[in-house]
Every structure is written in structure tokens, then in C-alpha cells.
Amino acid sequence: MTFPHAETLGRVRTAAEFAAVIALLDTDLSDALARKSALAEAEDRAVFGDGDLAAARVALHDCKDQIALLEKAIDAAGKRRAEAALSEARADIAALGEEIKARAALLGERWRGVHRLVEQLRQELFEADALARGIATANGLFDAAGVRELKVNLTTIRRAAMAGARATPPARLSRPALQADRLLLSFLTPGGALDPRPPLGAPVDGVKSKFIPASFSERG
């Protein structure tokens, strides 16, 4: 005895395909169970002379065989679906492993880029500091010579050079990355690592400060 969808079941390979065929077999099983009830009632009537008893019993027997076959097919398909799902999960894990390996290599390249840029930043800072110290020394000489109009405002130069747009950090940035980003921004913003607050009353960009504590002084 064969059952509906047997040929289809022999062709399927993926867990999703097995699930689709199992759904069809479940529908056939529900129909067969309903037919079994009707055939059992027909057999009962035939016992009392209402219908062909032999034919009713043959039909009921065939229906029971069909139900057993469908149940067996559903059970076997369920096992094969589980095996297919496990195999697919392993394949997905293997593919993810390859993807992560590629991402790890890319991450290494990014960190090497960070290292290169940080070292470049340090060199720029060293050179900028040397220039600032030279200008600060000259400013002192200008003060002593009474030619204050020749002095250069280091704060104005730095703030003008560091003005401009700031990149917006991604929405899901890790805590260490956020801290590092704040540290980097502190090099660019007024009052940051390179821009300590001037003493009380000292001019900043030509404006006299009145509300900044004297404990912070401008270097250079």
C-alpha cells in the first residue's frame, strides 16, 4: 500500500521541505481518521442488515492500514526533518565560523590602522608642541620688549585649527570605544586635553574671562 505524497517525500532534502510534506501528511491523516469513524458506523449498521458487512469491513480494514501507514510516514519524516535541521545548523555554524574568521582578519587591519593613525597623531602633537613652545618663548620676549602687538594668541590658533564638523559615533558603540572617542574629542574641544582653562581674568580669544577658576592655566 502506498500513501499520498510518497514520491514527494522521497525527493525532499531540507528541514523546511520535510515540514511542508509532514503538514500535507497530517492533513491526510486527519481525513483518514474522520473516514475511519464513518466506516466504523457503516460496519455497525451492516451488522444489523443495513449494508454489505463484508465490504464495510474491508473498507474499514483498508482505512486502518492507511492510517498506520500515514502515521509511520509522519514519524519517519519527522526524524529525517530533525536530522536535516541538525545538519543545516552545523552548516550554518561552519559558515558563521568562516565569516567570523574573515571579520577577525579585517579587525586586525582596522586595529593596525588605529595604531598607525595614533602614532601619526603623536608625531603631529610633538611637532605642534615644539612650535607652540617656540612661539610662547617669543611672546615672552615681545612682552619684555614692550611690543605686545607682536604676540601670537596660541589659543586662537589652536581653536581655529580644530574647529569643524565632528563625526557622529554609531548608535551601538561599546563602552571602551565611547571612552576612547571622548578622549579623542577632548583634543579638539575647548577646555579639553590641549586646551586647559586660563587663569581668572586672562584673555581668551580677546575676551576677558570672569567666571573660570584660577586653578586651571593655559600652557604655552
Side-chain angles (χ1 to χ4, degrees), residues 85-101:
L86 181 60
S87 177
E88 290 166 9
R90 288 172 178 167
D92 290 343
I93 290 296
L96 179 61
E98 291 300 317
E99 180 184 350
I100 293 304
K101 188 183 296 183

Side-chain angles (χ1 to χ4, degrees), residues 36-47 50-53 56-57:
K36 175 187 172 184
S37 297
L39 290 173
E41 292 176 1
E43 182 188 33
D44 290 341
R45 291 194 300 271
V47 169
D50 183 9
D52 187 336
L53 179 59
R57 285 179 172 172

Side-chain angles (χ1 to χ4, degrees), residues 27-206:
T27 299
D28 292 341
L29 179 60
S30 297
D31 293 341
L33 290 171
R35 188 165 64 253
K36 175 187 172 184
S37 297
L39 290 173
E41 292 176 1
E43 182 188 33
D44 290 341
R45 291 194 300 271
V47 169
F48 296 99
D50 183 9
D52 187 336
L53 179 59
R57 285 179 172 172
V58 169
L60 181 59
H61 181 269
D62 288 344
C63 184
K64 288 179 179 180
D65 285 347
Q66 186 75 13
I67 289 171
L69 187 60
L70 285 168
E71 289 175 338
K72 184 177 180 180
I74 291 171
D75 181 65
K79 291 177 180 178
R80 293 185 64 187
R81 179 181 62 176
E83 292 172 357
L86 181 60
S87 177
E88 290 166 9
R90 288 172 178 167
D92 290 343
I93 290 296
L96 179 61
E98 291 300 317
E99 180 184 350
I100 293 304
K101 188 183 296 183
R103 288 187 180 185
L106 181 59
L107 177 61
E109 293 178 10
R110 291 294 187 183
W111 282 127
R112 284 190 288 274
V114 170
H115 175 269
R116 182 181 65 254
L117 292 173
V118 168
E119 286 302 314
Q120 181 181 343
L121 171 61
R122 293 180 69 220
Q123 188 60 42
E124 293 288 344
L125 286 171
F126 298 157
E127 295 177 6
D129 183 71
L131 288 170
R133 284 186 286 107
I135 293 173
T137 299
N139 281 344
L141 294 176
F142 294 150
D143 264 334
V147 285
R148 296 174 59 86
E149 67 276 7
L150 297 180
K151 290 181 62 175
V152 173
N153 191 315
L154 296 173
T155 300
T156 300
I157 292 175
R158 181 175 57 249
R159 291 185 179 181
M162 293 185 173
R166 303 281 190 268
T168 302
R172 299 186 64 181
L173 200 60
S174 68
R175 184 184 299 274
L178 280 171
Q179 293 173 343
D181 185 54
R182 292 192 189 101
L183 177 60
L184 291 173
L185 287 176
S186 75
F187 289 94
L188 306 178
T189 54
L194 295 176
D195 190 28
R197 293 178 177 181
L200 184 64
V204 178
D205 291 345

